[in-house]
C-alpha cells in the first residue's frame, strides 16, 4: 500500500482530536471507580475501551517522528 503524506493542517487536526480523546480517557479512568450502578459501569468501561482503540488508531495515522 502506498503511504499517503498528510498535510500539516491534517496532522494538526489529528493532534487536536487525539488530545481530546486522551483527556476523555483520563477523565473516564478517574470517574469509573465512582460509578455504583452496574449497567452504567459497564457502559463506561465499554466507552473506555473504544476510546483506547480510537487513540491507537489516531496515533497510527500520524507520521513517525525522527
Amino acid at each position: 500500500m502506498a503511504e499517503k503524506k498528510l498535510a500539516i493542517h491534517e496532522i494538526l487536526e489529528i493532534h487536536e482530536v487525539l488530545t481530546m480523546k486522551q483527556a476523555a480517557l483520563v477523565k473516564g479512568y478517574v470517574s469509573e471507580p465512582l460509578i455504583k450502578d452496574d449497567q452504567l459501569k459497564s457502559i463506561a468501561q465499554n466507552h473506555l475501551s473504544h476510546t483506547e482503540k480510537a487513540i491507537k488508531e489516531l496515533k497510527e495515522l500520524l507520521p513517525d517522528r525522527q
Side-chain angles (χ1 to χ4, degrees):
M1 182 170 119
E3 189 168 325
K4 297 178 184 177
K5 185 168 178 151
L6 296 173
I8 188 69
H9 72 279
E10 293 171 320
I11 293 171
L12 292 173
E13 288 177 13
I14 291 171
H15 274 286
E16 184 177 349
V17 172
L18 187 56
T19 300
M20 291 187 309
K21 290 282 187 190
Q22 289 170 330
L25 187 65
V26 169
K27 184 177 179 181
Y29 275 125
V30 169
S31 302
E32 194 258 340
L34 304 173
I35 300 172
K36 303 298 180 204
D37 182 72
D38 290 337
Q39 187 176 7
L40 184 56
K41 187 178 278 275
S42 175
I43 292 169
Q45 289 170 341
N46 188 33
H47 181 269
L48 289 173
S49 67
H50 285 315
T51 302
E52 287 174 339
K53 183 176 183 265
I55 288 171
K56 183 178 182 241
E57 291 173 357
L58 286 167
K59 285 182 177 180
E60 290 173 358
L61 291 174
L62 294 173
D64 292 332
R65 291 187 219 169
Q66 312 248 331

